Amino acid sequence: MLIYAMVSITLALVFYTIGVWSERIQGQLKKWHLAIFWLGLIFDSIGTTLMGKIAANGFQLNFHGVTGLLAILLMVFHAVWATIVVVRDNKEARANFHKFSIVVWIIWLIPYLSGAVLGMTR
């Protein structure tokens, strides 16, 4: 199960990074970015669920657990907000959305990296 969790979390990193940085480079939120954001969220959720099943105590109120929960909540908010922006087709919001995307991506990296470090120390 560990390999599936690691692959899922890594796919989340790949999808989310592609979505965030391609949106930034292209200068506008597009429909295909939505699909990439949602895929990142789905794989992150799968990986997190699998990691929780592997962990003896499940969710723990520590740095990794709190930042991980914050990251998933932000990813949900980010994907929903991105969907609303695209559906409403607000040109200004679509052009500036990348600013929020980068912040969410950086916050998401914190539990990703802390999880990798914790995994290597065990």
Side-chain angles (χ1 to χ4, degrees), residues 25-104:
I25 291 166
Q26 292 175 359
Q28 180 171 331
L29 178 64
K30 298 180 181 181
K31 289 180 183 178
W32 75 269
H33 295 125
L34 294 180
I36 299 298
F37 294 155
W38 284 104
L39 282 171
L41 175 61
I42 289 166
F43 280 107
D44 190 47
S45 299
I46 291 169
T48 300
T49 300
L50 292 173
M51 290 290 188
K53 290 182 179 187
I54 293 169
N57 300 328
F59 176 78
Q60 294 181 350
L61 193 59
N62 57 23
F63 179 78
H64 180 69
V66 171
T67 58
L69 178 60
L70 174 64
I72 287 180
L73 292 174
L74 280 171
M75 286 177 78
V76 169
F77 180 76
H78 179 251
V80 169
W81 187 21
T83 303
I84 291 168
V85 167
V86 168
V87 167
R88 290 184 180 167
D89 198 25
N90 180 319
K91 304 294 184 206
E92 184 179 344
R94 287 177 83 157
N96 290 315
F97 194 80
H98 69 273
K99 295 173 185 173
F100 179 62
S101 296
I102 292 171
V103 170
V104 173

